[in-house]
Amino acid sequence: MSELGIVEDTLFISMIGRIYASEHCQKILYDEKALSLKENLPIGLMEREMKGQSEYTLLASASRSVNMDRVLRDFLKRKPNGVVAQLGCGLETTFYRCDNGITCWYGVDLPNVIEYRKSLMPESEREKYIAGDAFDSAWLKQVRDEAPDAPILITASGLFYYFEEDKVLALMRMLQNNGAIEIVFGTVNKSGMIMMRKQYMKQVGHEDAAMFFYVDSAEELAAKIGSDVNVLAEGKYYSHIDKSGIKFSTKLTMIGSDLMKMVKMIHLELHYYSGK
């Protein structure tokens, strides 16, 4: 595979977290596909990536997947004729956990990441990969050319952290006026971003990956994007996580994070009709 850049290299963080949860905390997440890929990852990767990590940092990534799965499954129930587009898809295995047997999925990432993804998870009949920049409109044009009227759920699991707010807002505005579109993503507030920069990224071995984007209020973010934006959810990150069987220190950190709204999932409707 082509050499990964600093940001692309973080694609292994969530995979390691899902494997750890599947092996040690199955009440939180069991990801059969991630487990099946463990032996195909670069030699020594698991040991390097897990070195210095706490149970909390490992389960934080798995918890994000749990939250994403919950939103995705709800969307697929509401909009079985919809389309899912995963921005910064990396090594996400969401398709294998949530696919309903009907929906068409798109995975968007940079060419070197897509090349590597294909070597581990070749495209299926209803999962298409698009090599390109998530912030460019080319992928959206392809999706709309192939599914002109379908409602779209866009996921940007851990993508936005690494980009300036103006770039994220430009993407959101690009998505508007392109039919019925929802977007869900993980984020932090300002305090959470300070913690991410000082501690989390160092513990996961990626302190060289600069981080910028945070959201203190989903309503304020919606106002910055412009009109016709509806906040569907601004959820606490760990409220849906089964905390039985994990360390007390991990539980305490999760509870504290939720109380301070440090880490959260935001779900927006970008082409909102009030019905009036």
Side-chain angles (χ1 to χ4, degrees), residues 2-274:
S2 304
E3 185 177 352
L4 296 173
I6 290 174
V7 172
E8 300 98 282
D9 193 43
T10 62
L11 65 90
F12 291 112
I13 295 175
S14 58
M15 172 66 89
I16 300 303
R18 295 196 305 277
I19 291 173
Y20 177 84
S22 300
E23 292 180 332
H24 303 283
C25 303
Q26 295 181 7
K27 288 185 178 180
I28 292 178
L29 177 73
Y30 182 74
D31 189 330
E32 184 176 359
K33 186 64 175 180
L35 283 175
S36 74
L37 295 172
K38 181 178 178 180
E39 299 304 319
N40 300 106
L41 298 178
I43 296 173
L45 175 74
M46 289 289 297
E47 292 77 11
R48 291 195 305 272
E49 291 286 321
M50 291 181 66
K51 185 179 180 180
Q53 286 205 56
S54 65
E55 183 184 63
Y56 172 76
T57 59
L58 288 163
L59 293 181
S61 296
S63 298
R64 183 171 64 204
S65 295
V66 173
N67 282 300
M68 282 287 176
D69 288 359
R70 181 170 46 82
V71 175
L72 271 160
R73 287 171 180 145
D74 175 70
F75 174 80
L76 294 177
K77 285 180 181 178
R78 292 186 288 112
K79 311 285 186 179
N81 63 329
V83 167
V84 175
Q86 296 181 280
L87 303 187
C89 61
L91 297 180
E92 289 294 337
T93 47
T94 322
F95 172 81
Y96 301 92
R97 296 192 306 272
C98 299
D99 179 49
N100 61 359
I102 301 171
T103 299
C104 185
W105 296 58
Y106 292 84
V108 182
D109 216 317
L110 297 175
N112 52 349
V113 177
I114 291 295
E115 176 190 348
Y116 184 50
R117 181 179 175 88
K118 284 182 176 180
S119 71
L120 295 177
M121 294 175 278
E123 291 169 293
S124 69
E125 183 180 352
R126 287 177 297 97
E127 188 181 27
K128 302 179 181 181
Y129 300 156
I130 301 175
D133 185 348
F135 294 88
D136 185 84
S137 61
W139 67 266
L140 180 60
K141 183 179 185 303
Q142 178 176 335
V143 173
R144 272 297 173 226
D145 284 347
E146 297 177 8
D149 301 315
I152 304 173
L153 175 65
I154 296 168
T155 69
S157 187
L159 177 66
F160 292 156
Y161 298 114
Y162 307 102
F163 298 93
E164 298 280 3
E165 182 181 76
D166 286 349
K167 190 161 188 174
V168 177
L169 290 175
L171 169 63
M172 302 283 193
R173 291 168 185 148
M174 178 189 80
L175 297 174
Q176 291 186 291
N177 302 314
N178 278 283
I181 292 180
E182 299 174 25
I183 185 167
V184 58
F185 57 94
T187 188
V188 292
N189 63 13
K190 187 174 184 179
S191 297
M193 177 54 70
I194 292 171
M195 293 293 289
M196 290 273 281
R197 288 170 175 166
K198 287 186 176 180
Q199 296 183 13
Y200 178 77
M201 294 305 287
K202 184 176 182 179
Q203 285 188 33
V204 299
H206 293 278
E207 62 269 30
D208 52 347
M211 307 182 82
F212 305 99
F213 183 73
Y214 64 88
V215 179
D216 282 330
S217 164
E219 291 290 351
E220 291 178 4
L221 175 67
K224 290 178 182 178
I225 297 169
S227 60
D228 294 334
V229 179
N230 184 32
V231 177
L232 297 178
E234 184 175 12
K236 295 178 180 179
Y237 212 62
Y238 300 108
S239 60
H240 298 276
I241 302 304
D242 187 336
K243 301 177 184 63
S244 60
I246 62 177
K247 295 177 181 178
F248 177 74
S249 59
T250 303
K251 292 180 186 178
L252 199 61
T253 304
M254 288 179 171
I255 292 168
S257 175
D258 276 352
L259 286 173
M260 298 178 67
K261 300 179 181 179
M262 292 180 70
V263 192
K264 50 192 172 181
M265 298 294 294
I266 292 179
H267 185 187
L268 304 176
E269 189 176 24
L270 294 174
H271 195 70
Y272 173 53
Y273 293 101
S274 65

